[in-house]
Amino acid sequence: MRSIWRTLTPSLQRDTLAMAGAIAVVGVSFGAIAVASGLDWWMPSALSVLVFAGGSQFMVVGVVAAGGGLVAAVAGALLLNARHLPFGLALGDIMGRRPLARIVGSHLLIDESVAFALAQRNDPARARAVFWFLGTTAFVVWNLGTIVGAAAGQVIGDTDAFGLDAAFPAALLALVLPALKNARTRNAALLGAAVALVTTPFLPAGVPVLLSLAGLVVLIPAPRKEEVAA
């Protein structure tokens, strides 16, 4: 880990530590919300260790808390995590070529570690270092945050009163803001948000989020017409 840390530039060291701090806060939010929603104290910790995917974990808790079945919760989480398939293809070489490295790296494949690694793709050594450092650090602080949050959730009861419910969407918004500078990405996000907003009052929890993926159609390039020589 020391050699990995030395490979990072001072700005990357600062940014990754700041991101890890934000991930810890969101982990506290998840643990508190999960327990306050009726889950046993050990369940959010088990999810954080075995799943380690914030969006999917929040979806599972939200669907179950709203009365949805476990099958629907797991199916929605798997669909939401389908984005990790192209992530893995893009970062396969960065993780390493050994099977064990790829297995462990796949578990540490989160939006934040992917974003930082891809930003350094012109420097493979630095991309590998930032992926492993942020992925490992995020795993540790996320799980510690979940434990702290689960303990706090048993005492707090109403997590909304402390604003803990806003931590996760705030972190996601901070992560995607730079990407919204691109017009097509921004249009896709707006369309997806509109779909989720319109369908939320009428559909079970979790379904509007899945339907918001319809916004991705904006990113599908239009077919080019080939000019036929006269």
Side-chain angles (χ1 to χ4, degrees):
M1 184 66 73
R2 182 178 298 178
S3 61
I4 290 177
W5 176 254
R6 290 175 177 174
T7 304
L8 304 179
T9 63
S11 61
L12 273 178
Q13 293 174 354
R14 181 183 64 251
D15 293 344
T16 51
L17 289 177
M19 180 58 69
I23 290 172
V25 173
V26 179
V28 173
S29 170
F30 168 72
I33 290 173
V35 171
S37 298
L39 272 66
D40 292 334
W41 64 269
W42 59 270
M43 290 184 178
S45 290
L47 281 171
S48 290
V49 172
L50 299 175
V51 179
F52 186 47
S56 296
Q57 292 179 227
F58 273 98
M59 172 172 282
V60 169
V61 170
V63 172
V64 172
L70 185 60
V71 173
V74 172
L78 288 174
L79 182 57
L80 184 61
N81 266 5
R83 70 189 187 281
H84 288 181
L85 292 175
F87 287 172
L89 293 174
L91 296 181
D93 291 336
I94 290 177
M95 294 180 192
R97 297 188 178 277
R98 295 181 179 180
L100 181 59
R102 294 204 171 194
I103 292 173
V104 176
S106 297
H107 195 54
L108 302 179
L109 196 70
I110 57 176
D111 296 336
E112 293 82 357
S113 62
V114 170
F116 272 78
L118 290 180
Q120 304 298 319
R121 57 183 175 273
N122 292 330
D123 187 334
R126 190 170 295 164
R128 185 176 297 109
V130 74
F131 172 81
W132 283 105
F133 178 78
L134 182 54
T136 303
T137 305
F139 182 80
V140 173
V141 300
W142 175 263
N143 281 278
L144 290 176
T146 300
I147 295 173
V148 172
Q154 296 178 339
V155 178
I156 294 174
D158 184 11
T159 56
D160 293 0
F162 290 83
L164 292 177
D165 57 318
F168 181 63
L172 284 183
L173 180 60
L175 187 64
V176 302
L177 274 178
L180 297 181
K181 295 178 180 178
N182 180 276
R184 292 180 64 202
T185 303
R186 184 169 60 251
N187 292 338
L190 291 174
L191 178 58
V195 170
L197 185 63
V198 170
T199 56
T200 293
F202 310 104
L203 297 175
V207 177
V209 176
L210 299 179
L211 292 180
S212 68
L213 295 175
L216 294 177
V217 299
V218 178
L219 296 178
I220 300 177
R224 295 181 178 179
K225 295 182 179 180
E226 297 183 0
E227 295 183 1
V228 180

